[in-house]
Structure formats: structure tokens, C-alpha cells
Amino acid sequence: MEGNKNASEKKEKLADQIMQNPQVLAALQERLDSVSQTPSSYIETLPKAVKRRINALKQLQEKCAHIEAKFYEEVHELERKYAALYQPLFDKRRVIVKGEVEPTDIECEWHSDGEEEEKLAAGVKNKVTIADKEPSEDDNPKGIPDFWLTIFRNVDMINISLQEYDEPILKHLQDVTVKFSDPGQPMSFTLEFHFDPNDYFTNSILTKSYKMKSEPDSSDPFSFEGPEIIDCDGCTIDWKKGKNVTVKTIKKKQKHKGRGTVRTITKQVPNESFFNFFSPIKVTGEGEELDEEMENSLAADFELGHFFRERIVPRAVLYFTGEAIEDEESFEEGEEGEEEEMEGEEEGEDEEDDSSNPAKETVQPAECKQQ
């Protein structure tokens, strides 16, 4: 025990001597400075002449941001040009969905992985049919029933706001289109939701317009990453009496302070619904501060507007079948799988004798597939 005590004292004494050595302290301080150093702190240590040249580079970078903004303005012009080329195809899609036009046999030809299975199933079905019967309306419905409603159900970003009482209304939705701003006008786009006559509102089209800008912020030009939505406008829905799903009527009891009598009053309060999409939060003035909940709501609204424009409207049939969603999920899973594979390789370096581990053997085919 005395030997251990003496050894401990010698170590403490040696440590004290080391810490009193100026060279050791300087080296330690230099090491700490290098660990805690940030890019900004490094810039502060540069000579004044170098800082001056860095400012010149920042001016060049700001000019690059303005050129980039002009680039995106021309991209918007191209979007407008090609929208006119896409439109005849989208018009054909609409009339097929509505059942106004029956596509030809050639137009209906499409090879899929499940084609052979479908033919086999049809053959078996024909063999077990005892007697021919006239096809009913259920066997051959008009157009593609619930086309857009099914898409909305399939897309999580929309489905989260979709309520059960919204669905009978959305069965009347026949098309969703995008209109870009006219040449020379501020950058914007409008989503148009086309409805058949229905028992819920008198509008034939509901609209949602998004205003955009493509210019660097004067106070922070380096944050520019392309066009951004800065505001949006909905439309007034002319609901028929008693059909407004965006509000609900509640009853509330009130007691008179003096007489003590109680009366029941009814009032309307907001109700969760997809159709609140057409009554967005308004950004009324510059510099106006929004609370966190309103900011999140606006951000989600802007994101959904972009998603309608860039993904849902151009690729509607793939969201109806779920193929677009499966592709997105596969991409995300592939990234995660790749990360897991790298972790497996690191573990393999540490444990060379694990090649006989059956758990690893079962994982390997999945890893090979991802590669």
C-alpha cells in the first residue's frame, strides 16, 4: 500500500512539473485552439489585405446569385412553353378519366410484369364460368372511378388532411391542372380543381394561386437557392346550405349572471377538412412576424403546392397506381440499406471469424441486391 501511495505521489509531482513548463503549456494551448477553431475564427486571423480580397470574392458571389436568379426566370419561361405541349395529353387524360372517350385497343396496350399472371387468371375465370351473362355496370364502370380521390388517399402529404366527410365531395373531382403566369407577369402558378356539378357547392373550379420570386434577398444574398413561394391565395367556396364541411355547429350553454337562467346557443367553429386548403394563412405585410405554428402551416402549404405542380399533376396515373410512391420509398430504403451495409463491413473488420454466423448469411442476399 505504501508503494502504491509513493507511486501516486510521484505521478502527481511529475504532472505538476510538466504543467509548469512554458513550452508544454504553449503546445497544449495550440492544440486546444486548433480543436475549437471555426472557419470564421480562422478568417479573423488573416491579414487585412487577404480579408480585403475575400470581400472582392463575395461581391463576385453576389453577382453570381443574381445571374442564377435570371437563369431560374428563364426556366420558368421554359416551363410555360412546355406546359402548352403537355396540355393536349392532359386533356386526353381528363376525358378518359371522365369516361367521355374510350381509348383504342392500341392506346390501351401496355406491357407490365403482371401481364402473364393477369392472362392466366382471366383464362381460369373463363373456364369456370357456367353461363355467359350480360356485363353489369360494376363490371364496366364509366371512365376511371375515384381517380383523383384515390391519388389523394395514396399521397401522405394530402391524406393527412383528408377527412371521411371530404371523400364524397372529392368523388366529383374530375381534373387538377396547373396554369403558369403570363409572359411579363410576376412569377406564379395556379392550381385548378375541376368539379362536376354536385350537391355540396356551386363552383365548377376551385383555385389556389402561389406567388413566387426569383431574386436574392438584399440582406442575405448568399441564401438564394432558386425560386421560392412567398404567398398564396385561395378562393371562396360557394357552399350549398348545410354542406360546408370546413365548419361545424356546436351548442353551448350560457348562464345569466343575475337571474341564473340558462340558455343554449349555437355557433359555428372551424372544422378539419381538406377544403381548408383553399383558405390559406395570409402573409399580409412585410416584416410581420408569424408564430411558429403559422410558419409551419405556411411551409407545409407551400410544399404541397410545389408537390401538386411538380409531381402529382404531371404523373397522376403513377400516383393512382402507387408506382410513384413505391419508387420514392425504394429510394429512401436504398439509402438506409447502403448505410447498414457499410456498418456491416466495419464489423467484419473487427470480427474476422464471424463468416460462419448464420445471421450474417441471411442478410447478405439483401445487400447484394442493393448493389
Side-chain angles (χ1 to χ4, degrees):
M1 291 180 64
E2 288 182 3
N4 291 338
K5 184 177 180 181
N6 291 335
S8 177
E9 289 176 353
K10 286 181 180 180
K11 287 181 181 179
E12 290 179 2
K13 189 175 181 180
L14 181 61
D16 290 339
Q17 290 175 352
I18 291 173
M19 295 305 295
Q20 290 174 7
N21 187 324
Q23 293 180 343
V24 173
L25 289 175
L28 181 61
Q29 183 63 46
E30 185 179 354
R31 178 63 177 166
L32 290 173
D33 288 344
S34 65
V35 170
S36 61
Q37 192 176 66
T38 61
S40 59
S41 64
Y42 166 70
I43 298 301
E44 292 301 319
T45 65
L46 295 176
K48 186 175 181 180
V50 176
K51 291 180 182 178
R52 181 172 173 273
R53 294 169 197 140
I54 291 173
N55 289 338
L57 295 186
K58 286 186 175 180
Q59 279 203 31
L60 294 175
Q61 189 63 45
E62 184 176 7
K63 290 177 181 178
C64 287
H66 285 281
I67 293 174
E68 187 180 2
K70 293 296 181 184
F71 164 78
Y72 282 115
E73 286 179 5
E74 293 198 22
V75 169
H76 189 69
E77 293 296 324
L78 278 175
E79 280 188 301
R80 183 187 294 113
K81 173 185 174 181
Y82 279 87
L85 301 178
Y86 288 132
Q87 196 54 51
L89 304 178
F90 294 158
D91 290 341
K92 186 70 176 288
R93 179 178 71 187
R94 183 188 68 251
V95 295
I96 291 175
V97 167
K98 293 182 68 174
E100 295 177 353
V101 169
E102 185 62 34
T104 65
D105 291 341
I106 294 177
E107 289 175 330
C108 292
E109 287 182 0
W110 186 262
H111 175 73
S112 64
D113 294 338
E115 186 175 351
E116 295 301 325
E117 289 83 349
E118 289 174 4
K119 288 181 179 178
L120 180 62
V124 172
K125 184 177 180 181
N126 289 336
K127 288 179 181 179
V128 300
T129 301
I130 298 174
D132 291 337
K133 61 178 182 178
E134 290 294 326
S136 66
E137 189 175 338
D138 292 337
D139 296 329
N140 188 19
K142 183 180 178 182
I144 304 178
D146 301 342
F147 181 76
W148 290 98
L149 173 57
T150 302
I151 292 171
F152 287 12
R153 286 172 176 161
N154 288 344
V155 177
D156 289 342
M157 201 182 299
I158 304 175
N159 191 34
I160 193 172
S161 65
L162 200 62
Q163 307 299 321
E164 187 177 349
Y165 40 80
D166 292 328
E167 297 193 2
I169 309 174
L170 290 171
K171 284 178 176 289
H172 297 279
L173 178 60
Q174 296 300 323
D175 200 12
V176 181
T177 59
V178 181
K179 279 193 173 180
F180 293 94
S181 52
D182 294 329
Q185 296 297 314
M187 189 182 293
S188 67
F189 66 93
T190 299
L191 301 175
E192 296 186 344
F193 296 75
H194 300 253
F195 286 84
D196 276 345
N198 58 79
D199 296 331
Y200 299 92
F201 46 72
T202 58
N203 312 65
S204 59
I205 301 176
L206 301 181
T207 61
K208 182 77 171 286
S209 299
Y210 289 88
K211 300 176 184 177
M212 305 171 67
K213 74 169 185 177
S214 180
E215 61 183 50
D217 190 332
S218 58
S219 61
D220 186 15
F222 305 132
S223 65
F224 179 73
E225 294 182 348
E228 60 177 334
I229 294 175
I230 55 174
D231 200 3
C232 58
D233 289 307
C235 68
T236 300
I237 303 177
D238 299 321
W239 294 99
K240 295 181 180 180
K241 187 176 180 180
K243 298 295 186 177
N244 189 349
V245 294
T246 65
V247 295
K248 59 182 177 181
T249 302
I250 62 170
K251 294 182 178 181
K252 188 176 181 181
K253 291 184 178 181
Q254 287 184 338
K255 186 176 182 180
H256 194 280
K257 292 182 179 179
R259 295 191 295 271
T261 56
V262 177
R263 66 174 182 175
T264 300
I265 63 170
T266 60
K267 67 175 184 177
Q268 287 188 329
V269 296
N271 194 28
E272 292 185 1
S273 168
F274 164 77
F275 290 92
N276 289 323
F277 177 72
F278 300 97
S279 302
I281 296 171
K282 287 297 298 172
V283 182
T284 54
E286 293 186 6
E288 181 182 354
E289 292 188 2
L290 303 175
D291 60 36
E292 184 176 357
E293 184 178 351
M294 293 174 69
E295 285 184 352
N296 291 338
S297 178
L298 268 179
D301 193 326
F302 293 171
E303 184 180 4
L304 183 54
H306 269 308
F307 201 74
F308 265 113
R309 182 187 71 151
E310 297 175 355
R311 305 300 296 275
I312 296 176
V313 171
R315 301 173 174 84
V317 66
L318 302 180
Y319 283 95
F320 176 81
T321 62
E323 292 168 83
I325 299 164
E326 289 171 2
D327 288 343
E328 291 168 3
E329 290 175 349
S330 297
F331 179 75
E332 291 172 1
E333 289 172 2
E335 286 184 335
E336 292 173 1
E338 192 173 318
E339 187 175 320
E340 292 169 4
E341 181 178 343
M342 291 172 66
E343 291 174 359
E345 289 175 359
E346 291 174 0
E347 291 171 3
E349 291 176 2
D350 293 336
E351 301 177 9
E352 296 178 357
D353 296 330
D354 277 353
S355 58
S356 60
N357 189 334
K360 288 197 173 184
E361 291 175 3
T362 57
V363 172
Q364 188 170 351
E367 293 176 349
C368 295
K369 185 176 180 181
Q370 289 168 359
Q371 293 175 349

